[in-house]
Amino acid sequence: PATGNNRIKVGGNIRLVKLSARELPADLSISGGTFLYRQNQLDLTGLTAGLGHSNLNQANATLNWGTPNTLKASAHRAELDLAELFQWLAKTAGDRSGVTDLKALSGILLLTDPAVSGPMENPAAWLWDTDARLQDARIESSTFGAQILVAAADLSANRAVSGKAAGTQIVLKPSIIDWGASRLKIDGKTGLFEKNMNLNLNITADQLHWAQIEQIINHTDTSETAKNDADILGTISVKTEQFQYDDLTFRPVNATLTLSSGKANLAVARAGLCDIDLSGYIDFAGERVNLHLIPVAKDKELEPTITCLSNNKNVATGEFDFSGKLEAKSRTEDLGKSVSGDLS
């Protein structure tokens, strides 16, 4: 027989509830739906909730105060105002929010059929799943330097348990992203785990500059990820119409970057430099670099190539064939002075 609180059973309809708290960025309003409390469990069905410019529609939740106490919630749709939420997280959670790398964030995040479950007292252990669309987003981050703009991007995301470890996976559908002066098309998967980040991305760009890559590398070396010895693993395939490195302009570039436990391998399928095609690889390990490139040119005009490489005009005319091998093993900062090889 039911005893104590287990005898209590209360239910009804929700018309309108408003909650104000110093910790909230705005008043929380809940309207519509029903509630039922029985045997240490509260069931909420068909709710509509609003917080500032964000809202949640057709939401359901079950809160159970048994052993263990659990939360299970879902909704048909949610619309989140990222600028409002970012300001709230930065103000209330500080370093614990995970947004300390961000300087500014705005836009709308639309969630379809979001669901979450886990122990009520430990949000870090919650498991969740949703489809999403990012709209009119602007991101300013210390990691990426230049501003990132996203008109629209579709993705799915979930936090689940794989083996004994929980991790977050994000699957990005082909999306157009403006990063400073570069326009990128990106798709692929990202996995975030306690000890590593897995990247499997395909990137096509109209142009890229070494300064953009260097910004990410320099920031990663001093970030919390680096301090905690977390590994960045995976493969990034890059195709760009133009890549600028100091005074050298490569057109086009097709390469694949493979990351593994503090090491990186750049496999160059093709990099065009002044009518000379380069292929090969560059290995990075800590401060050391190992370069092996094969330059090839066939039936090319000599004058435009010399002008491109040296800015000297009218030095020579004619056609040329070219092949060889370029190699280097050195510290990263000494790479330019360490390249040697055979050219013919």
Side-chain angles (χ1 to χ4, degrees):
T3 60
N5 291 335
N6 289 336
R7 293 176 178 174
I8 299 175
K9 183 176 180 181
V10 180
N13 297 320
I14 300 173
R15 290 185 178 179
L16 177 64
V17 177
K18 285 191 175 184
L19 301 174
S20 298
R22 182 180 301 176
E23 293 80 7
L24 295 176
D27 289 345
L28 173 63
S29 65
I30 301 174
S31 61
T34 63
F35 74 93
L36 175 63
Y37 177 82
R38 57 181 176 177
Q39 297 184 355
N40 296 324
Q41 180 171 302
L42 176 63
D43 294 319
L44 303 169
T45 307
L47 304 182
T48 296
L51 180 67
H53 294 96
S54 300
N55 60 75
L56 189 67
N57 295 308
Q58 298 182 34
N60 306 305
T62 297
L63 294 83
N64 189 297
W65 286 273
T67 305
N69 56 48
T70 58
L71 164 71
K72 186 176 181 180
S74 64
H76 174 63
R77 179 181 172 89
E79 181 175 321
L80 306 180
D81 185 302
L82 296 180
E84 192 172 65
L85 294 178
F86 168 68
Q87 292 173 5
W88 173 52
L89 283 173
K91 181 179 179 180
T92 59
D95 292 343
R96 294 180 290 108
S97 68
V99 299
T100 53
D101 177 62
L102 293 176
K103 297 178 180 179
L105 176 65
S106 63
I108 299 297
L109 183 62
L110 301 175
L111 305 181
T112 303
D113 297 325
V116 61
S117 63
M120 279 191 285
E121 77 282 358
N122 187 13
W126 290 357
L127 305 180
W128 48 268
D129 181 86
T130 189
D131 289 329
R133 163 164 277 218
L134 184 61
Q135 291 184 175
D136 301 322
R138 179 176 66 89
I139 304 168
E140 293 185 19
S141 163
S142 301
T143 298
F144 295 99
Q147 178 176 261
I148 294 176
L149 300 175
V150 184
D154 293 314
L155 56 96
S156 61
N158 69 74
R159 179 174 172 80
V161 175
S162 178
K164 295 182 179 180
T168 299
Q169 177 172 275
I170 301 172
V171 179
L172 177 65
K173 297 179 181 179
S175 303
I176 302 299
I177 295 174
D178 290 316
W179 177 22
S182 301
R183 170 154 287 194
L184 288 65
K185 181 180 179 182
I186 303 178
D187 68 271
K189 299 179 180 180
T190 299
L192 306 173
F193 301 91
E194 182 179 359
K195 293 297 183 181
N196 61 67
M197 175 190 295
N198 291 334
L199 302 174
N200 286 284
L201 302 174
N202 301 305
I203 301 174
T204 303
D206 59 349
Q207 59 176 314
L208 288 171
H209 198 290
W210 170 247
Q212 295 171 287
I213 313 301
E214 191 174 36
Q215 168 72 23
I216 296 175
I217 294 172
N218 290 341
H219 187 271
T220 301
D221 287 341
T222 58
S223 68
E224 290 299 319
T225 300
K227 293 177 184 177
N228 294 332
D229 296 325
D231 283 333
I232 301 177
L233 312 172
T235 302
I236 303 174
S237 173
V238 179
K239 294 181 180 179
T240 180
E241 297 174 16
Q242 177 176 308
F243 180 74
Q244 192 72 34
Y245 183 89
D246 289 338
D247 295 331
L248 300 177
T249 302
F250 295 85
R251 298 189 183 95
V253 173
N254 183 354
T256 300
L257 179 65
T258 302
L259 305 167
S260 61
S261 299
K263 298 180 179 180
N265 170 267
L266 182 65
V268 181
R270 182 190 179 194
L273 176 64
C274 302
D275 282 338
I276 300 172
D277 285 337
L278 298 165
S279 61
Y281 64 84
I282 306 174
D283 289 328
F284 301 90
E287 296 181 352
R288 305 293 299 180
V289 62
N290 179 17
L291 176 147
H292 179 89
L293 294 175
I294 304 296
V296 175
K298 186 173 179 62
D299 298 329
K300 299 297 183 180
E301 292 288 336
L302 187 58
E303 183 178 1
T305 297
I306 293 177
T307 301
C308 175
L309 290 172
S310 65
N311 288 325
N312 293 320
K313 298 181 179 180
N314 303 318
V315 174
T317 59
E319 295 184 347
F320 73 101
D321 294 339
F322 181 91
S323 64
K325 178 174 64 175
L326 299 174
E327 294 183 324
K329 290 184 179 181
S330 68
R331 294 171 62 89
T332 305
E333 61 267 28
D334 299 327
L335 178 60
K337 299 180 291 185
S338 304
V339 176
S340 63
D342 299 321
L343 303 175
S344 61

